[in-house]
Amino acid sequence: MADEQDTSTVDFLYEIGLLKRYKRTGWQIAGVTDPESIADHSHRTAVVAAVIASLEGADPERAAFLALFHDTQETRVMDIPYVGKRYLKAAPNTEVTADQTAGLPEPLAEVIGSVVGEYEAKESLEARCARDADKFECLLQAVEYREQGNTHTQAWIDTSLAALKTASAKRLAEEALARGPLEWMHEARDR
C-alpha cells in the first residue's frame, strides 16, 4: 500500500505529463495548425540552456535543470499568450509551484521550489542563461514555422531577439537567423 507522499509524487508526475498534450497558444494565434507542445518547448529549452551556459562559463547542468522546470506551472495556468497577460492577473510561478508540490516529500518539494525560485529571480548566471534559452528556443521555433510557410511568426522572432541578454545567446540568434533550419542536414549529407 502506497503512502501519501508516494501518491502525491505520482500525481505530480501525471500532472507534468499534461505538458506533452498542451499546445503553445502563441503559435495557434500565429496560425500554426499543429503547434509544439509545452513539453516540446521545454525539452529544447533545456538543451539550449546547457549550450548557452557552457559558452557563458556557467554551470550547464544547472541551467538545463532550471529550464526544464521553467514552464511546469502551465499545467495549472495554461500557456497564456503575451497579449492575454495584459488582462489577467496570474499567480506568481513560485506560488503555483508551491501548490503543485504540496504533499510531495520535503526534499523533492524543496528542489523543485528552489529551481523555480532561482529561475524567476533572474539573479544567477545560470538563471539568465536559462531565460535566454527560453527566448532563443522561441526564436528557433519561429524560424522553423516560417520556413514551413507560416508568414505570421516575425513578431516572435523580433521580440525573442530583443529579449536576449547574454552575448552567447545574441551571437547564436544572429547565426540562426542567417541559416536555414535544415542546412545542417544538407551539409551532413555532403560530408
Side-chain angles (χ1 to χ4, degrees):
M1 184 182 257
D3 71 9
E4 277 186 48
Q5 289 188 332
D6 286 346
T7 300
S8 294
T9 302
V10 168
D11 288 349
F12 174 77
L13 296 172
Y14 276 131
E15 179 178 342
I16 294 304
L18 291 174
L19 298 174
K20 297 191 308 181
R21 293 198 304 254
Y22 291 172
K23 301 298 183 181
R24 303 250 322 194
T25 56
W27 300 129
Q28 292 173 317
I29 291 168
V32 175
T33 56
D34 187 24
E36 68 177 338
S37 72
I38 296 166
D40 294 333
H41 164 70
S42 293
H43 173 264
R44 183 159 62 176
T45 298
V47 173
V48 171
V51 168
I52 292 171
S54 294
L55 296 172
E56 289 290 314
D59 180 348
E61 293 173 8
R62 183 68 179 175
F65 196 54
L66 295 171
L68 188 62
F69 283 88
H70 85 283
D71 278 342
T72 54
Q73 307 77 22
E74 292 182 10
T75 62
R76 303 224 173 160
V77 298
M78 307 301 284
D79 181 28
I80 302 167
Y82 180 73
V83 71
K85 289 181 181 179
R86 291 179 52 197
Y87 305 101
L88 301 173
K89 187 72 171 164
N93 283 342
T94 52
E95 186 179 316
V96 177
T97 299
D99 286 346
Q100 287 176 309
T101 59
L104 295 182
E106 189 62 31
L108 177 57
E110 283 180 19
V111 165
I112 296 169
S114 72
V115 165
V116 172
E118 182 178 345
Y119 180 85
E120 294 298 326
K122 309 174 199 172
E123 293 174 1
S124 69
L125 181 54
E126 288 77 12
R128 290 190 300 275
C129 291
R131 294 183 81 80
D132 267 8
D134 180 36
K135 299 304 180 191
F136 182 50
E137 196 288 326
C138 186
L139 180 143
L140 291 171
Q141 189 64 66
V143 170
E144 290 168 341
Y145 286 146
R146 182 181 68 191
E147 291 292 314
Q148 295 167 10
N150 187 295
T151 59
H152 303 291
T153 62
Q154 190 61 47
W156 281 262
I157 293 169
D158 295 341
T159 57
S160 296
L161 186 60
L164 297 175
K165 305 292 185 207
T166 63
S168 298
K170 290 175 183 180
R171 262 191 345 270
L172 292 173
E174 290 300 330
E175 184 64 20
L177 292 171
R179 293 182 58 80
L182 295 179
E183 285 186 46
W184 67 270
M185 185 174 61
H186 302 305
E187 290 172 2
R189 179 192 65 210
D190 295 337
R191 284 185 202 149

XYZ file of all heavy atoms in Angstrom, residues 13-111:
762
model
N 3.740 13.692 -11.160
C 4.304 13.237 -12.435
C 3.227 13.119 -13.509
O 3.467 13.454 -14.685
C 5.053 11.921 -12.242
C 6.280 12.025 -11.329
C 6.856 10.648 -11.041
C 7.325 12.958 -11.928
N 2.036 12.657 -13.141
C 0.924 12.648 -14.102
C 0.570 14.072 -14.522
O 0.315 14.350 -15.692
C -0.319 11.968 -13.514
C -0.327 10.465 -13.639
C -0.617 9.668 -12.533
C -0.080 9.828 -14.852
C -0.650 8.280 -12.640
C -0.107 8.450 -14.963
C -0.393 7.680 -13.852
O -0.426 6.309 -13.964
N 0.562 14.982 -13.545
C 0.249 16.380 -13.865
C 1.265 16.945 -14.854
O 0.898 17.597 -15.841
C 0.220 17.230 -12.593
C -0.088 18.689 -12.866
C -0.170 19.542 -11.611
O -0.323 19.012 -10.489
O -0.083 20.779 -11.769
N 2.536 16.709 -14.621
C 3.577 17.202 -15.525
C 3.391 16.611 -16.926
O 3.691 17.250 -17.933
C 4.983 16.896 -14.955
C 5.211 17.690 -13.662
C 6.081 17.190 -15.973
C 5.041 19.189 -13.775
N 2.868 15.420 -16.999
C 2.588 14.785 -18.294
C 1.612 15.571 -19.156
O 1.609 15.441 -20.383
N 0.792 16.405 -18.535
C -0.130 17.243 -19.302
C 0.621 18.176 -20.253
O 0.099 18.566 -21.299
C -1.012 18.077 -18.370
C -2.043 17.329 -17.555
C -2.721 18.273 -16.572
C -3.072 16.673 -18.461
N 1.861 18.525 -19.899
C 2.645 19.430 -20.740
C 2.913 18.823 -22.117
O 3.172 19.552 -23.074
C 3.958 19.802 -20.049
C 3.811 20.554 -18.729
C 5.168 20.732 -18.067
C 3.115 21.889 -18.921
N 2.838 17.502 -22.222
C 3.007 16.855 -23.526
C 1.788 17.066 -24.413
O 1.893 17.033 -25.629
C 3.267 15.354 -23.356
C 4.549 15.055 -22.621
C 4.961 13.598 -22.676
C 3.913 12.608 -22.269
N 4.376 11.215 -22.321
N 0.630 17.292 -23.796
C -0.617 17.465 -24.561
C -0.974 18.920 -24.799
O -1.643 19.232 -25.782
C -1.770 16.785 -23.832
C -1.642 15.294 -23.775
C -2.946 14.598 -23.444
N -3.587 15.023 -22.226
C -3.619 14.322 -21.103
N -3.011 13.166 -21.042
N -4.257 14.771 -20.044
N -0.591 19.799 -23.881
C -0.958 21.211 -24.009
C -0.106 21.878 -25.083
O 1.118 21.819 -25.043
C -0.755 21.954 -22.695
C -1.707 21.594 -21.582
C -1.498 22.083 -20.308
C -2.816 20.783 -21.780
C -2.361 21.791 -19.260
C -3.674 20.477 -20.740
C -3.442 20.981 -19.479
O -4.285 20.682 -18.447
N -0.764 22.521 -26.013
C -0.073 23.208 -27.106
C 0.282 24.630 -26.698
O -0.406 25.254 -25.899
C -0.951 23.235 -28.363
C -1.352 21.858 -28.873
C -0.144 21.048 -29.284
C -0.551 19.700 -29.861
N 0.591 18.904 -30.248
N 1.319 25.150 -27.297
C 1.721 26.539 -27.051
C 0.736 27.443 -27.793
O 0.632 27.401 -29.010
C 3.150 26.762 -27.526
C 4.157 25.839 -26.880
C 5.082 26.470 -25.950
N 5.468 27.771 -26.449
C 6.455 28.486 -26.007
N 7.202 28.017 -25.075
N 6.745 29.658 -26.490
N 0.015 28.251 -27.047
C -1.084 29.022 -27.623
C -0.638 30.138 -28.551
O -1.354 30.489 -29.484
C -1.977 29.617 -26.516
O -1.170 30.393 -25.634
C -2.688 28.528 -25.745
N 0.533 30.703 -28.318
C 1.011 31.766 -29.198
C 1.101 31.299 -30.640
O 0.761 32.040 -31.572
N 1.540 30.065 -30.814
C 1.644 29.544 -32.184
C 0.272 29.316 -32.799
O 0.093 29.471 -34.002
C 2.474 28.259 -32.203
C 3.866 28.456 -31.708
C 4.502 27.721 -30.747
C 4.809 29.442 -32.139
N 5.776 28.198 -30.553
C 5.987 29.258 -31.400
C 4.765 30.473 -33.070
C 7.119 30.060 -31.570
C 5.887 31.280 -33.235
C 7.038 31.062 -32.498
N -0.697 28.972 -31.996
C -2.065 28.839 -32.510
C -2.567 30.194 -32.986
O -3.206 30.295 -34.031
C -2.987 28.244 -31.444
C -2.656 26.802 -31.146
C -3.442 26.231 -29.983
O -3.621 26.881 -28.958
N -3.904 25.007 -30.140
N -2.265 31.249 -32.227
C -2.653 32.599 -32.630
C -1.984 32.974 -33.942
O -2.587 33.622 -34.802
C -2.305 33.615 -31.516
C -3.214 33.380 -30.310
C -2.420 35.049 -32.010
C -2.793 34.113 -29.059
N -0.742 32.521 -34.132
C 0.002 32.816 -35.362
C -0.491 31.989 -36.553
O -0.023 32.187 -37.667
C 1.489 32.574 -35.150
N -1.413 31.080 -36.311
C -1.957 30.286 -37.401
C -1.240 28.978 -37.657
O -1.486 28.321 -38.671
N -0.359 28.564 -36.742
C 0.307 27.275 -36.882
C -0.734 26.198 -36.579
O -1.322 26.193 -35.502
C 1.521 27.172 -35.940
C 2.145 25.789 -36.007
C 2.541 28.260 -36.266
N -0.964 25.311 -37.530
C -2.051 24.340 -37.372
C -1.739 23.212 -36.386
O -2.645 22.682 -35.770
C -2.445 23.728 -38.729
O -1.283 23.161 -39.331
C -3.042 24.784 -39.650
N -0.500 22.844 -36.247
C -0.133 21.791 -35.299
C 1.079 22.262 -34.496
O 2.198 21.814 -34.730
C 0.176 20.482 -36.035
C 0.402 19.319 -35.077
O -0.099 19.368 -33.928
O 1.093 18.363 -35.474
N 0.863 23.184 -33.544
C 1.998 23.760 -32.819
C 2.641 22.776 -31.844
O 2.034 21.787 -31.446
C 1.375 24.938 -32.070
C -0.042 24.560 -31.893
C -0.416 23.732 -33.100
N 3.853 23.111 -31.475
C 4.580 22.318 -30.493
C 3.839 22.312 -29.157
O 3.068 23.218 -28.847
C 5.982 22.900 -30.301
C 5.966 24.263 -29.643
C 7.341 24.842 -29.369
O 8.321 24.087 -29.289
O 7.412 26.068 -29.213
N 4.110 21.296 -28.372
C 3.572 21.251 -27.019
C 4.498 22.025 -26.085
O 5.630 22.350 -26.435
C 3.456 19.797 -26.538
O 4.740 19.255 -26.284
N 4.011 22.273 -24.880
C 4.835 22.933 -23.869
C 6.033 22.040 -23.537
O 7.146 22.533 -23.363
C 3.996 23.267 -22.626
C 2.896 24.274 -22.987
C 4.881 23.806 -21.503
C 1.819 24.427 -21.934
N 5.820 20.723 -23.500
C 6.929 19.802 -23.226
C 7.959 19.834 -24.357
O 9.172 19.778 -24.089
C 6.398 18.384 -23.030
N 7.506 19.917 -25.603
C 8.439 20.038 -26.731
C 9.331 21.260 -26.524
O 10.551 21.197 -26.675
C 7.699 20.212 -28.057
C 6.885 19.008 -28.486
O 7.227 17.870 -28.113
O 5.889 19.219 -29.214
N 8.692 22.374 -26.209
C 9.422 23.628 -25.982
C 10.398 23.488 -24.820
O 11.558 23.886 -24.920
C 8.418 24.762 -25.724
C 9.025 25.977 -25.122
N 9.878 26.818 -25.804
C 8.910 26.491 -23.866
C 10.255 27.805 -24.998
N 9.683 27.629 -23.821
N 9.957 22.902 -23.727
C 10.804 22.791 -22.540
C 12.012 21.897 -22.788
O 13.102 22.160 -22.273
C 9.988 22.265 -21.354
O 9.027 23.217 -20.973
N 11.828 20.853 -23.585
C 12.949 19.958 -23.874
C 14.064 20.705 -24.600
O 15.220 20.697 -24.170
C 12.491 18.758 -24.710
C 13.628 17.917 -25.168
N 14.197 18.064 -26.418
C 14.341 16.962 -24.540
C 15.204 17.209 -26.529
N 15.314 16.532 -25.415
N 13.723 21.384 -25.704
C 14.789 22.072 -26.435
C 15.323 23.256 -25.628
O 16.503 23.569 -25.697
C 14.339 22.510 -27.827
C 15.492 23.151 -28.603
C 15.358 23.187 -30.091
N 14.226 23.961 -30.540
C 13.970 24.179 -31.831
N 14.760 23.695 -32.775
N 12.907 24.875 -32.177
N 14.467 23.895 -24.837
C 14.938 24.989 -23.987
C 16.013 24.490 -23.029
O 17.020 25.175 -22.804
C 13.766 25.634 -23.224
O 12.848 26.183 -24.174
C 14.239 26.743 -22.303
N 15.842 23.306 -22.457
C 16.839 22.753 -21.545
C 18.162 22.495 -22.268
O 19.242 22.793 -21.739
C 16.317 21.477 -20.890
N 18.086 21.960 -23.485
C 19.309 21.719 -24.261
C 19.981 23.047 -24.599
O 21.200 23.206 -24.438
C 18.993 20.911 -25.535
C 20.216 20.803 -26.431
C 18.465 19.521 -25.177
N 19.202 24.020 -25.049
C 19.743 25.337 -25.395
C 20.361 25.990 -24.149
O 21.420 26.622 -24.239
C 18.656 26.238 -26.018
C 19.144 27.670 -26.183
C 18.203 25.677 -27.374
N 19.724 25.838 -22.998
C 20.265 26.412 -21.761
C 21.641 25.833 -21.447
O 22.548 26.569 -21.038
C 19.308 26.179 -20.596
N 21.811 24.532 -21.643
C 23.118 23.913 -21.416
C 24.155 24.480 -22.380
O 25.299 24.743 -21.990
C 23.023 22.397 -21.555
N 23.772 24.690 -23.620
C 24.687 25.242 -24.623
C 25.092 26.666 -24.250
O 26.285 27.009 -24.210
C 24.039 25.192 -26.027
C 24.838 26.010 -27.034
C 23.873 23.749 -26.493
N 24.108 27.505 -23.996
C 24.406 28.903 -23.666
C 25.242 28.990 -22.390
O 26.220 29.738 -22.330
C 23.107 29.732 -23.542
C 22.435 29.856 -24.920
C 23.390 31.112 -22.955
C 21.045 30.468 -24.876
N 24.872 28.218 -21.378
C 25.624 28.239 -20.117
C 27.069 27.807 -20.340
O 27.993 28.410 -19.773
C 24.945 27.348 -19.080
N 27.287 26.801 -21.147
C 28.648 26.354 -21.445
C 29.456 27.475 -22.077
O 30.617 27.700 -21.717
C 28.632 25.141 -22.379
O 28.052 24.035 -21.743
N 28.843 28.178 -23.018
C 29.523 29.270 -23.705
C 29.751 30.477 -22.798
O 30.700 31.235 -22.990
C 28.726 29.689 -24.943
C 28.600 28.623 -26.029
C 27.637 29.088 -27.113
C 29.963 28.268 -26.610
N 28.889 30.657 -21.817
C 28.990 31.797 -20.900
C 29.827 31.509 -19.658
O 29.995 32.385 -18.817
C 27.581 32.242 -20.466
C 26.772 32.911 -21.555
C 27.309 34.285 -21.924
O 27.616 35.078 -21.018
O 27.429 34.562 -23.137
N 30.311 30.275 -19.512
C 31.102 29.929 -18.337
C 30.268 29.616 -17.107
O 30.774 29.635 -15.988
N 29.007 29.331 -17.306
C 28.108 28.975 -16.205
C 27.999 27.450 -16.120
O 28.541 26.730 -16.960
C 26.727 29.595 -16.433
N 27.277 26.960 -15.151
C 27.073 25.523 -14.960
C 25.981 25.052 -15.922
O 24.801 25.367 -15.731
C 26.672 25.254 -13.513
C 26.428 23.784 -13.206
O 26.343 22.955 -14.148
O 26.296 23.449 -12.015
N 26.343 24.299 -16.967
C 25.342 23.890 -17.954
C 24.272 22.958 -17.385
O 23.112 23.019 -17.792
C 26.160 23.198 -19.050
C 27.457 22.859 -18.428
C 27.676 23.824 -17.306
N 24.651 22.115 -16.438
C 23.669 21.204 -15.844
C 22.614 21.976 -15.059
O 21.422 21.678 -15.143
C 24.356 20.169 -14.961
C 25.219 19.210 -15.748
C 26.031 18.281 -14.862
O 25.820 18.261 -13.624
O 26.895 17.569 -15.412
N 23.056 22.965 -14.305
C 22.115 23.766 -13.512
C 21.197 24.565 -14.429
O 19.991 24.638 -14.211
C 22.885 24.706 -12.565
C 21.996 25.515 -11.654
C 21.301 24.639 -10.654
N 20.455 25.425 -9.766
C 19.663 24.899 -8.860
N 19.631 23.602 -8.682
N 18.923 25.656 -8.099
N 21.763 25.179 -15.457
C 20.954 25.964 -16.393
C 19.918 25.084 -17.081
O 18.749 25.477 -17.217
C 21.851 26.645 -17.419
N 20.319 23.891 -17.495
C 19.374 22.968 -18.138
C 18.273 22.561 -17.160
O 17.096 22.465 -17.534
C 20.109 21.741 -18.662
N 18.645 22.338 -15.902
C 17.679 21.949 -14.881
C 16.671 23.070 -14.631
O 15.464 22.825 -14.529
C 18.426 21.577 -13.599
C 17.619 20.816 -12.597
C 16.949 19.650 -12.937
C 17.540 21.240 -11.284
C 16.218 18.934 -12.006
C 16.815 20.542 -10.335
C 16.146 19.385 -10.702
N 17.155 24.300 -14.575
C 16.255 25.444 -14.413
C 15.288 25.525 -15.586
O 14.081 25.741 -15.412
C 17.057 26.741 -14.311
C 17.960 26.921 -13.101
C 18.834 28.154 -13.271
C 17.154 27.009 -11.824
N 15.811 25.369 -16.786
C 14.977 25.460 -17.982
C 13.949 24.336 -18.033
O 12.823 24.539 -18.498
C 15.855 25.431 -19.232
N 14.321 23.180 -17.561
C 13.408 22.040 -17.583
C 12.134 22.313 -16.791
O 11.045 21.892 -17.175
C 14.123 20.809 -17.022
C 13.414 19.480 -17.124
C 13.169 19.105 -18.573
C 14.243 18.406 -16.435
N 12.249 23.084 -15.711
C 11.099 23.365 -14.849
C 10.469 24.735 -15.104
O 9.530 25.109 -14.415
C 11.513 23.259 -13.374
C 11.634 21.833 -12.903
C 12.829 21.142 -13.034
C 10.544 21.176 -12.350
C 12.938 19.830 -12.614
C 10.640 19.861 -11.927
C 11.856 19.181 -12.068
N 10.937 25.478 -16.089
C 10.516 26.881 -16.225
C 9.045 27.056 -16.593
O 8.469 28.093 -16.283
C 11.421 27.631 -17.218
C 11.047 27.508 -18.644
N 11.310 26.390 -19.411
C 10.418 28.389 -19.450
C 10.858 26.583 -20.624
N 10.307 27.784 -20.681
N 8.418 26.089 -17.220
C 7.004 26.215 -17.607
C 6.105 25.159 -16.965
O 4.971 24.972 -17.395
C 6.856 26.123 -19.132
C 7.138 27.429 -19.843
O 7.124 28.488 -19.188
O 7.362 27.394 -21.068
N 6.576 24.485 -15.920
C 5.759 23.430 -15.317
C 4.459 23.957 -14.725
O 3.482 23.213 -14.599
C 6.554 22.664 -14.236
O 7.072 23.597 -13.281
C 7.688 21.864 -14.857
N 4.414 25.232 -14.401
C 3.205 25.828 -13.830
C 2.048 25.844 -14.844
O 0.890 25.983 -14.472
C 3.477 27.266 -13.365
C 4.641 27.420 -12.445
C 5.979 27.369 -13.166
O 6.090 27.614 -14.357
N 7.019 27.015 -12.437
N 2.382 25.708 -16.103
C 1.356 25.796 -17.140
C 0.395 24.612 -17.144
O -0.615 24.629 -17.831
C 2.008 26.026 -18.504
C 2.644 27.412 -18.545
C 3.274 27.778 -19.871
O 3.079 27.054 -20.875
O 3.956 28.818 -19.906
N 0.666 23.592 -16.313
C -0.338 22.543 -16.138
C -1.572 23.109 -15.454
O -2.672 22.598 -15.621
C 0.190 21.370 -15.281
O 0.517 21.853 -13.967
C 1.376 20.694 -15.943
N -1.383 24.182 -14.689
C -2.488 24.777 -13.924
C -2.977 26.096 -14.502
O -4.171 26.380 -14.421
C -2.046 24.996 -12.475
C -1.571 23.696 -11.831
C -2.076 23.515 -10.473
N -1.715 22.191 -9.973
C -1.693 21.888 -8.718
N -1.998 22.789 -7.806
N -1.387 20.665 -8.344
N -2.079 26.901 -15.040
C -2.496 28.221 -15.531
C -2.510 28.292 -17.052
O -2.845 29.327 -17.622
C -1.618 29.356 -14.953
C -1.755 29.413 -13.437
C -0.172 29.210 -15.364
N -2.121 27.205 -17.691
C -2.062 27.100 -19.156
C -1.003 28.048 -19.716
O -0.336 28.750 -18.986
C -3.434 27.362 -19.789
C -4.560 26.511 -19.217
S -4.308 24.736 -19.379
C -4.664 24.521 -21.088
N -0.876 28.051 -21.015
C 0.088 28.910 -21.710
C -0.666 30.165 -22.137
O -1.303 30.196 -23.183
C 0.658 28.159 -22.922
C 1.678 28.973 -23.689
O 2.341 29.828 -23.078
O 1.818 28.743 -24.903
N -0.603 31.173 -21.305
C -1.335 32.412 -21.588
C -0.521 33.229 -22.586
O 0.631 33.561 -22.320
C -1.566 33.228 -20.296
C -2.337 32.392 -19.269
C -2.303 34.533 -20.612
C -2.343 32.989 -17.876
N -1.106 33.560 -23.733
C -0.348 34.346 -24.712
C -0.031 35.736 -24.166
O -0.726 36.257 -23.290
C -1.265 34.422 -25.923
C -2.607 34.029 -25.452
C -2.442 33.247 -24.189
N 1.025 36.315 -24.707
C 1.519 37.605 -24.235
C 0.415 38.660 -24.166
O 0.277 39.361 -23.182
C 2.660 38.076 -25.142
C 3.233 39.397 -24.732
C 4.043 39.507 -23.607
C 2.951 40.554 -25.446
C 4.569 40.722 -23.204
C 3.476 41.777 -25.051
C 4.275 41.854 -23.944
O 4.778 43.060 -23.548
N -0.394 38.743 -25.202
C -1.446 39.765 -25.221
C -2.476 39.516 -24.111
O -3.004 40.453 -23.529
C -2.111 39.872 -26.614
C -2.981 38.657 -26.921
C -2.911 41.149 -26.740
N -2.726 38.268 -23.778
C -3.678 37.937 -22.722
C -3.197 38.306 -21.340
O -3.993 38.612 -20.451
N -1.877 38.288 -21.147
C -1.309 38.604 -19.836
C -1.594 40.045 -19.421
O -1.586 40.364 -18.240
C 0.188 38.324 -19.823
C 0.480 36.834 -19.863
C 1.959 36.545 -19.838
C 2.163 35.033 -19.896
N 3.554 34.665 -19.888
N -1.870 40.894 -20.393
C -2.214 42.279 -20.064
C -3.526 42.372 -19.299
O -3.760 43.326 -18.571
C -2.345 43.104 -21.346
C -1.046 43.334 -22.068
C -1.241 44.136 -23.328
N -1.968 45.357 -23.069
C -2.563 46.080 -24.014
N -2.513 45.697 -25.263
N -3.195 47.184 -23.704
N -4.397 41.392 -19.468
C -5.748 41.460 -18.909
C -5.980 40.505 -17.744
O -7.018 40.567 -17.107
C -6.771 41.155 -20.002
C -6.597 42.068 -21.194
C -5.949 41.626 -22.346
C -7.047 43.380 -21.164
C -5.775 42.473 -23.431
C -6.868 44.232 -22.240
C -6.240 43.767 -23.367
O -6.048 44.609 -24.431
N -5.030 39.633 -17.498
C -5.189 38.636 -16.448
C -4.168 38.846 -15.346
O -3.032 39.242 -15.609
C -5.001 37.228 -17.025
C -5.966 36.836 -18.141
C -5.550 35.507 -18.734
C -7.389 36.782 -17.623
N -4.554 38.568 -14.147
C -3.640 38.647 -13.016
C -3.371 37.212 -12.565
O -4.134 36.633 -11.797
C -4.271 39.476 -11.889
C -3.329 39.751 -10.763
C -2.279 40.747 -11.181
C -1.479 41.171 -9.969
N -0.261 41.822 -10.329
N -2.305 36.636 -13.101
C -1.964 35.258 -12.765
C -1.150 35.213 -11.478
O -0.432 36.162 -11.142
C -1.168 34.625 -13.904
N -1.259 34.112 -10.781
C -0.437 33.902 -9.588
C 1.025 33.793 -10.011
O 1.322 33.307 -11.104
C -0.881 32.621 -8.889
N 1.942 34.240 -9.176
C 3.366 34.083 -9.500
C 3.715 32.599 -9.674
O 3.142 31.735 -9.001
C 4.085 34.670 -8.289
C 3.075 35.489 -7.574
C 1.735 34.902 -7.895
N 4.652 32.317 -10.569
C 5.041 30.929 -10.824
C 5.512 30.220 -9.562
O 5.267 29.026 -9.385
C 6.105 30.859 -11.918
C 5.515 31.051 -13.293
O 4.312 30.910 -13.498
N 6.354 31.377 -14.252
N 6.169 30.944 -8.667
C 6.622 30.322 -7.431
C 5.440 29.858 -6.571
O 5.505 28.819 -5.925
C 7.511 31.287 -6.625
O 6.825 32.533 -6.468
C 8.846 31.515 -7.330
N 4.354 30.615 -6.599
C 3.153 30.239 -5.841
C 2.480 29.020 -6.458
O 2.030 28.116 -5.750
C 2.190 31.427 -5.809
C 0.969 31.224 -4.945
C 0.074 32.451 -4.927
O 0.607 33.576 -4.794
O -1.161 32.285 -5.067
N 2.392 28.993 -7.780
C 1.799 27.838 -8.465
C 2.629 26.594 -8.167
O 2.087 25.528 -7.850
C 1.700 28.079 -9.994
C 1.165 26.844 -10.699
C 0.826 29.296 -10.285
N 3.945 26.729 -8.235
C 4.831 25.596 -7.947
C 4.647 25.111 -6.522
O 4.623 23.898 -6.274
C 6.303 25.986 -8.203
O 6.446 26.329 -9.588
C 7.254 24.846 -7.866
N 4.499 26.023 -5.571
C 4.279 25.621 -4.172
C 3.003 24.798 -4.050
O 2.976 23.790 -3.325
C 4.226 26.852 -3.272
N 1.955 25.191 -4.763
C 0.719 24.410 -4.744
C 0.918 23.048 -5.409
O 0.413 22.035 -4.927
C -0.406 25.163 -5.447
C -0.954 26.317 -4.628
O -0.661 26.395 -3.418
O -1.683 27.151 -5.209
N 1.650 23.039 -6.523
C 1.886 21.775 -7.230
C 2.669 20.783 -6.383
O 2.458 19.576 -6.493
C 2.684 22.017 -8.520
C 1.909 22.664 -9.628
C 2.807 22.940 -10.827
O 3.873 23.535 -10.687
N 2.355 22.519 -11.995
N 3.586 21.288 -5.579
C 4.483 20.398 -4.840
C 4.036 20.151 -3.399
O 4.702 19.414 -2.670
C 5.923 20.957 -4.850
O 5.933 22.256 -4.250
C 6.473 21.023 -6.274
N 2.927 20.746 -2.994
C 2.399 20.482 -1.655
C 2.079 18.993 -1.540
O 1.472 18.403 -2.425
C 1.144 21.310 -1.405
N 2.536 18.373 -0.505
C 2.291 16.950 -0.312
C 3.416 16.067 -0.822
O 3.440 14.872 -0.519
N 4.343 16.637 -1.602
C 5.488 15.845 -2.052
C 6.462 15.669 -0.898
O 6.456 16.466 0.047
C 6.206 16.547 -3.209
C 5.442 16.717 -4.521
C 6.331 17.401 -5.563
C 4.939 15.381 -5.052
N 7.324 14.669 -0.969
C 8.361 14.567 0.063
C 9.129 15.887 0.137
O 9.427 16.505 -0.898
C 9.251 13.429 -0.445
C 8.348 12.612 -1.322
C 7.403 13.599 -1.955
N 9.437 16.331 1.339
C 10.048 17.645 1.548
C 11.293 17.887 0.701
O 11.418 18.952 0.092
C 10.355 17.863 3.035
C 10.774 19.265 3.374
C 9.707 20.317 3.078
O 8.502 20.017 3.162
O 10.085 21.459 2.735
N 12.224 16.929 0.613
C 13.419 17.195 -0.215
C 13.062 17.442 -1.688
O 13.658 18.305 -2.339
C 14.262 15.925 -0.066
C 13.774 15.269 1.178
C 12.322 15.646 1.299
N 12.092 16.736 -2.192
C 11.670 16.910 -3.583
C 10.990 18.261 -3.777
O 11.302 18.997 -4.721
C 10.732 15.772 -3.999
C 10.143 15.836 -5.403
C 11.249 15.915 -6.459
C 9.246 14.624 -5.636
N 10.096 18.608 -2.880
C 9.413 19.903 -2.961
C 10.412 21.050 -2.869
O 10.289 22.055 -3.594
C 8.361 20.017 -1.855
N 11.423 20.900 -2.020
C 12.445 21.943 -1.882
C 13.258 22.097 -3.158
O 13.557 23.219 -3.576
C 13.366 21.628 -0.698
C 12.746 21.929 0.647
C 13.687 21.593 1.802
O 14.918 21.466 1.581
O 13.185 21.451 2.922
N 13.632 20.994 -3.776
C 14.424 21.057 -5.011
C 13.642 21.777 -6.098
O 14.139 22.713 -6.739
C 14.837 19.643 -5.475
C 15.322 19.659 -6.922
C 15.914 19.075 -4.579
